[in-house]
Amino acid sequence: MSWATAWRIARRDLNARFRGLRLLLVCLFLGTGALAAIGSLTAAIEREIEANGREYLGGDLQVELWQRGLNEEERAALDELGDVSAGIRMQAMARYGDQAAPIELKAVDAAYPLYGELTLEDGRSVGSPRQDEAWLSPGAADRLGVTPGDRITIGSATLAVGGIVANEPDRLSEGFQLGPTIIVAEDLPVRAGLIAPGSMYQTKTRVRFSDNRDIRETRNALEEQFPAQGFDIDTAERAAPGTDRFVDRMGEFLTLVGLAALVIAGIGIGGGVTSYLDARRQGIATLKILGASSGDIARIYALQIVAASLVGSLAGIAVGVALVPLLATALQGLLPVSSGLVLDPGAILLALAYGMLVALVFAAPPLLRARHFPAMALMRARVAPLARDPQALILVGGGLAAIVALALLTAENPLLSGGFLAGAAGVLALLALLGLGIRKLAGALPRPQSPVARNALANLHRPGSSTGALVTALGFGLAAFVLLAAVQSAIDGNIAKRVPDRAPDYFVLDIPRDQVTEFETLVRQADPDADWRTVPALRGSVLAFGPEGDMTRTLDLEEIPDGAWALRGERGLTYSDTLPEGNELTEGDWWGPFYEGEPLVSVDEEFADAAGLEVGDMLTFGVLGVERTARIANLRRIDWESLGFNYVFVLSPNAIQDAPHNLAATVELTRGTPTGPLLQSLVAALPSTSVIEVGGVLEQARTILEQVGLATLAAASVAVLAGLAVLLGAIAAARAARTYDTVVLRVLGADRRQVLVMQLIEYVVLAGALALVALGIGSVAAWLVVTQLFEFDWLPDWGVILAVLGLGIAIVLAFALGASLPLLRAKPAQALRAL
C-alpha cells in the first residue's frame, strides 16, 4: 500500500473533531504552548538587551567607583578609548515647602547621554541640566507635589524644576533604587555640600569607543592595568547584570517547566494512543482480513497520529506566541521587553521539534504493538492483551536520544537541563517499579472475605490491569500538586523572612562624625523612647583572599563561587570594638576594645564557607584606591532577618578607621509615633545626610518577590494542568478497558453500589500508596527550583503542602468516581454485542 493510499484511508477514518485523540491534542497543546511562549519571551528580552545594551548602559563600557572619582592616570586611560562621560550617584533629600523626600541623585556632565535620548514629557530631548535646574522623574515630582517651574532644595542648593523625565535611556543599568531619580548637573553634589571626605557616593564613568574594539579585551586590559583601584566594570554586553541573571534564571526555570509539561504529556500521549488503537481494533482487524499488511496498518495509524500531533503542536505554538505580547505588557517596567508580537523562529521550531519527538517516543510502543498480530488476536484484545513489540525500543531509544541531544544543545545551562532529564527518567523508572511492586503485592496478599474488596484488589494485579498507567499518571499528577505548593509556599516564606513586618523606620546615611551628637538630639526630641544605632560606613572590594603567601586574586577568578557574592564589586565595610548586635561567633575570638595589633577582620561564616576561607587566612581590600590587608580572626553567624546593619566584613578599628568616612544609622520609633516630624528636622538640620524611608524599600522588595512568586505559580500551573490532563486520560482509558468487566459483574448480580465501591477502593489504595512518593518527588523538585535555581532559602509551609496534596487526592477520587458513572449506565446486552 502506497503512502498516498494509506493517507486516504487514514483521513477517512480520522474524526474531524479528533475523537479518541483529544488527550494527545491537549497534552501536546500544553507542552508546546508553554515552550513556545517561554522561548519567544526569553529570546525577545535577550534580543532587546543585546540590541540596546549600549543605550541601557549609557556607553560601551562603564567604570564604577565608591567614594571617589577617577584620578588623572585613570581618566587618561579612558580618554584614549573614546568619548567619556562622568557622573555621580548618591542618596539625598529633596525639599519643597513642607514636603521632603528621599531621592536618588544622578549628577551628569555635559556629554551625557553618550547613547540614546533623554526626553522630557514636553517632548524636548535634553542632556545635562543647567547648574540652577533639575530634571525630575515622575515619581519624584509626585512625591514632592511639584510641576515645571517650581523650585526645590537639595542640600544647600535651590534648583528650578526644568522638566519631568519621560524617557531615561540608561535607567535599566542604574539598578535597584531607594528613591525616585532627580537628574542634576555634575558639580551639584559638591556645590550643595553633599560630598565631603567620607561621604557615601558612587561615581560612574562611561566610554563610547572611538573605534571598533573588543569589549572583553578592553575590560580585561583595564583590570590588569588598575588591579587595586576597586574598579567595578560593566560592559554593553552585560548592560544590566542583575536583569540578565534574573532573565537567565527565570528562563531556565520556565524551560524546565515546559519540558516537565511535555514529559507528563508524553505519558498521556502513550495512554491516549493505546486507548485510541484499542477502540479501533475492529477496524484494524477488518483491514487485515481485507489484505492489509502490518506495515500498512502502521502507516495508516502513524499518519493519523502525526496529523493529530501536528494539529496539537501548532495550536499550542500559536497560542503560546499569542500570549507573548500579554506577558511582555505585564513585564514592562520590570524587564526590557517590547509589547508587540514576537516571532522567534528558533523558539517555534524548538517547541515543534520537542512536541513531535515526545509524540514519537510515547506513541510508538502502542502503535507497533498493534501491527504484528492476526485479526483474531485483535478481535480478542479485550480479554487477550497484545504483547509488546521489541522493535519499539529502537524508535523509543532514538527519540529519547534526540530529545536529550536537543535539550543539551539548545540549553543555556546544559548541566541543569541534563540533570532534569536524568531526574525525569529516574522518576519514570521509579514509578514503573512502584507500579510493578503494587501489582506483585496485590497478588500476594490474602484474599479478603468481602467479594467487593476481593474484586477491587484483583483489579490491581489481574492480566490487562491498568495499574502501571494509573500509577505513573497519579504519581506525576500528585507530584505536580506538591511542586506547585512547595515552591509557592517557599517563596512566601522568603517574603516573610527577607521582608520583615517590623523594621527600622529610617536608614540615615552620611552623618558627619562631628555631628553625631546633634543627630542623636534630634531623634530624642522626636521620640524619647526611640532606638537608634550608628556604625562607621565605608566601601571596599575584595582584591585577594586565601592563605597567607598563597592568596587568590579576585580578578583571576573565571567565575565567582556560588554563595561568595561579596567578592563581586564593592561592598559595605565597617569596624567595631565589639561584636555587632544580632551576630554570633561560631569560630575564633573577638579582638576586644583598644586593640592595636595586626589588622584583623571578622567574616560571615556562610561567605567564608563559599569562598573556602578559614580563621587565619588573609583578605586584601581596596578602599579608596588603597590596599589594606587583614587576617581573619573569627567567623560570625549573622541574623539576616533583622533588617539592620549586617556587614559581611567587620574589621578591627586600626585596620580602616583612618580612611575618610562618615557614619550610618538606623532609627526605630515607638509604635504610633509619626515619622514626618523627624524626617523634616533631619533634612533641615543635617542637609548633607540622606534619609531612606524603610517602608517604601520593604514594599518594593515585597512586590518584586511577589511578582517572582506569581510568575512561578503561573508557570508551574502548566505542569499541573498537564498532570490533570494525563490523569483524566488514564482514568478514561481504564474506564474504556473496564466496560467488559463491569458488564460481566452486572450479569453476575453485582449492583451499582458494589461496582462503584470497587472502583473507589482501588483508587483509594493507589492514591494512598502514591501520596508519600509524590510528596518526596515534588518536594525534591521544589527544593532544587527554590535553592539551586532561584537561590532562595528553603522555607516551605508543610501544612499548606499537605493540604494541597490532600486536595489533589480528593480531585483524583472525584475524577475516578465521575469516570465510573458511565459504566453503571452501560446496558449488558448492548455492551456484550459490541465486544
Side-chain angles (χ1 to χ4, degrees):
M1 185 184 296
S2 67
W3 282 100
T5 302
W7 170 241
R8 188 162 59 251
I9 296 173
R11 182 166 47 83
R12 289 175 179 174
D13 185 51
L14 193 61
N15 187 279
R17 291 179 293 178
F18 293 97
R19 187 171 183 178
L21 289 173
R22 290 174 188 168
L23 180 61
L24 181 147
L25 289 171
V26 170
C27 291
L28 286 178
F29 174 84
L30 289 172
T32 55
L35 284 175
I38 292 161
S40 298
L41 180 64
T42 304
I45 295 173
E46 290 175 347
R47 279 205 305 268
E48 190 82 13
I49 293 176
E50 183 178 350
N52 300 305
R54 289 178 171 83
E55 182 175 327
Y56 291 147
L57 183 67
D60 294 287
L61 180 143
Q62 173 181 272
V63 176
E64 298 180 359
L65 284 168
W66 280 94
Q67 296 181 285
R68 73 179 185 92
L70 297 176
N71 60 33
E72 292 184 3
E73 180 186 2
E74 295 162 348
R75 177 64 187 243
L78 295 186
D79 284 333
E80 292 179 0
L81 302 177
D83 299 325
V84 177
S85 173
I88 295 172
R89 309 292 185 271
M90 66 183 305
Q91 298 299 128
M93 297 295 298
R95 287 173 289 156
Y96 175 70
D98 294 333
Q99 296 294 320
I103 61 161
E104 183 83 15
L105 191 65
K106 180 175 180 177
V108 297
D109 64 8
Y112 175 87
L114 294 176
Y115 288 101
E117 284 188 333
L118 174 64
T119 59
L120 304 180
E121 289 184 349
D122 59 13
R124 285 183 292 158
S125 293
V126 297
S128 173
R130 298 192 310 268
Q131 289 188 335
D132 62 346
E133 70 178 353
W135 315 132
L136 273 65
S137 67
D142 292 342
R143 189 73 182 276
L144 293 170
V146 297
T147 58
D150 292 333
R151 301 187 70 81
I152 62 174
T153 301
I154 300 177
S156 60
T158 300
L159 306 171
V161 178
I164 309 301
V165 176
N167 176 57
E168 184 183 352
D170 55 340
R171 173 67 188 88
L172 187 67
S173 66
E174 300 292 357
F176 185 81
Q177 294 184 332
L178 299 177
T181 302
I182 293 182
I183 302 176
V184 297
E186 182 185 17
D187 65 342
L188 185 279
V190 176
R191 287 193 291 112
L194 300 177
I195 290 183
S199 297
M200 191 63 65
Y201 66 94
Q202 184 183 38
T203 62
K204 291 189 177 184
T205 307
R206 290 147 176 190
V207 183
R208 179 174 59 199
F209 293 158
S210 57
D211 52 16
N212 291 327
R213 292 176 176 269
D214 184 277
I215 292 180
R216 294 184 184 179
E217 290 182 1
T218 304
R219 171 179 179 162
N220 293 337
L222 285 173
E223 290 176 340
E224 290 295 330
Q225 185 177 357
F226 304 105
Q229 273 76 350
F231 281 8
D232 187 0
I233 302 177
D234 293 322
T235 65
E237 292 178 336
R238 299 280 288 180
T243 300
D244 284 344
R245 283 194 294 272
F246 176 78
V247 171
D248 290 345
R249 295 295 171 89
M250 204 63 187
E252 288 171 353
F253 168 69
L254 294 176
T255 299
L256 293 185
V257 168
L259 289 175
L262 276 177
V263 169
I264 297 172
I267 302 166
I269 290 168
V273 171
T274 299
S275 299
Y276 179 73
L277 293 176
D278 189 58
R280 291 290 189 276
R281 71 192 190 284
Q282 291 185 351
I284 295 174
T286 302
L287 287 171
K288 286 209 148 194
I289 291 170
L290 294 175
S293 66
S294 297
D296 296 334
I297 298 299
R299 287 192 190 94
I300 292 169
Y301 288 97
L303 286 171
Q304 289 186 355
I305 292 167
V306 167
S309 299
L310 276 173
V311 170
S313 298
L314 293 175
I317 289 170
V319 172
V321 171
L323 285 175
V324 173
L326 298 178
L327 297 173
T329 301
L331 291 172
Q332 277 188 330
L334 179 64
L335 293 174
V337 57
S338 56
S339 58
L341 185 66
V342 178
L343 291 175
D344 185 77
I348 292 172
L349 290 175
L350 184 63
L352 181 61
Y354 272 128
M356 299 307 293
L357 283 171
V358 167
L360 166 69
V361 168
F362 287 94
L367 181 63
L368 294 179
R369 197 162 55 237
R371 67 177 185 150
H372 287 308
F373 286 78
M376 291 307 296
L378 288 166
M379 294 291 189
R380 296 195 304 269
R382 288 289 188 195
V383 292
L386 300 176
R388 300 184 182 278
D389 189 338
Q391 293 186 22
L393 293 176
I394 300 174
L395 279 176
V396 172
L400 288 174
I403 291 173
V404 171
L406 196 61
L408 296 181
L409 291 174
T410 58
E412 291 287 338
N413 189 337
L415 186 62
L416 180 67
S417 296
F420 169 79
L421 291 174
V427 171
L428 282 172
L430 173 65
L431 291 175
L433 289 174
L434 184 62
L436 181 62
I438 290 175
R439 292 186 64 177
K440 296 289 187 184
L441 180 62
L445 288 175
R447 294 186 178 184
Q449 293 184 352
S450 168
V452 173
R454 188 163 59 248
N455 277 281
L457 188 64
N459 281 338
L460 295 174
H461 66 84
R462 63 177 174 76
S465 72
S466 54
T467 299
L470 285 173
V471 164
T472 305
L474 283 170
F476 268 99
L478 294 177
F481 275 100
V482 172
L483 170 67
L484 186 65
V487 170
Q488 190 63 32
S489 67
I491 291 177
D492 290 342
N494 276 270
I495 293 175
K497 175 182 178 181
R498 300 187 180 198
V499 190
D501 293 328
R502 182 62 177 162
D505 294 282
Y506 292 117
F507 281 106
V508 186
L509 307 178
D510 281 332
I511 304 172
R513 283 182 283 176
D514 59 359
Q515 292 184 286
V516 173
T517 302
E518 185 175 358
F519 163 76
E520 293 177 345
T521 300
L522 291 172
V523 174
R524 194 177 296 111
Q525 289 174 349
D527 181 4
D529 297 321
D531 289 329
W532 66 87
R533 175 187 172 201
T534 58
V535 296
L538 299 92
R539 301 288 297 191
S541 57
V542 178
L543 303 180
F545 61 96
E548 187 175 9
D550 189 26
M551 298 177 69
T552 300
R553 287 202 323 162
T554 306
L555 289 178
D556 293 338
L557 295 175
E558 294 184 3
E559 187 175 353
I560 299 296
D562 288 340
W565 50 270
L567 295 176
R568 187 181 294 111
E570 292 202 348
R571 297 294 164 187
L573 302 177
T574 192
Y575 59 86
S576 176
D577 280 328
T578 59
L579 180 68
E581 181 182 347
N583 288 219
E584 176 187 351
L585 277 184
T586 58
E587 186 177 347
D589 300 312
W590 199 260
W591 43 80
F594 311 113
Y595 175 78
E596 296 181 356
E598 178 186 20
L600 300 175
V601 60
S602 176
V603 178
D604 169 43
E605 65 172 357
E606 292 182 359
F607 167 78
D609 182 62
L613 293 172
E614 299 177 351
V615 172
D617 289 345
M618 309 296 289
L619 282 168
T620 297
F621 300 95
V623 181
L624 297 174
V626 178
E627 291 190 15
R628 296 173 183 259
T629 300
R631 187 180 300 277
I632 298 176
N634 57 69
L635 304 181
R636 291 170 293 121
R637 181 177 297 119
I638 300 175
D639 179 15
W640 293 104
E641 296 185 28
S642 63
L643 194 59
F645 290 116
N646 293 315
Y647 286 89
V648 174
F649 307 110
V650 178
L651 291 96
S652 58
N654 64 333
I656 56 172
Q657 67 179 349
D658 60 326
H661 66 278
N662 288 328
L663 303 179
T666 58
V667 180
E668 184 173 347
L669 304 176
T670 55
R671 290 186 182 274
T673 302
T675 58
L678 176 60
L679 177 63
Q680 301 298 332
S681 60
L682 287 174
V683 172
L686 304 172
S688 64
T689 62
S690 302
V691 183
I692 300 170
E693 294 178 288
V694 178
V697 177
L698 293 180
E699 189 60 33
Q700 288 186 61
R702 185 176 287 108
T703 299
I704 290 172
L705 286 173
E706 286 174 350
Q707 287 175 329
V708 172
L710 183 61
T712 305
L713 176 66
S717 296
V718 175
V720 173
L721 288 175
L724 286 176
V726 171
L727 186 57
L728 285 171
I731 292 173
R735 181 190 67 191
R738 288 176 182 175
T739 301
Y740 174 81
D741 303 330
T742 303
V743 167
V744 171
L745 288 171
R746 293 286 304 281
V747 170
L748 294 176
D751 58 30
R752 294 184 177 184
R753 184 190 63 80
Q754 290 173 321
V755 172
L756 202 60
V757 171
M758 287 180 202
Q759 298 285 319
L760 183 61
I761 291 174
E762 181 180 352
Y763 281 101
V764 166
V765 170
L766 287 177
L770 286 168
L772 289 178
V773 175
L775 182 63
I777 293 172
S779 299
V780 170
W783 179 84
L784 290 171
V785 169
V786 171
T787 63
Q788 305 303 304
L789 200 57
F790 289 158
E791 296 183 352
F792 289 169
D793 293 332
W794 178 236
L795 299 170
D797 186 329
W798 291 106
V800 171
I801 294 172
L802 293 175
V804 171
L805 179 59
L807 175 64
I809 293 174
I811 290 174
V812 167
L813 297 179
F815 283 164
L817 290 176
S820 300
L821 294 178
L823 300 180
L824 304 180
R825 294 193 295 268
K827 297 185 181 300
Q830 183 179 355
L832 290 172
R833 283 198 300 271
L835 293 174

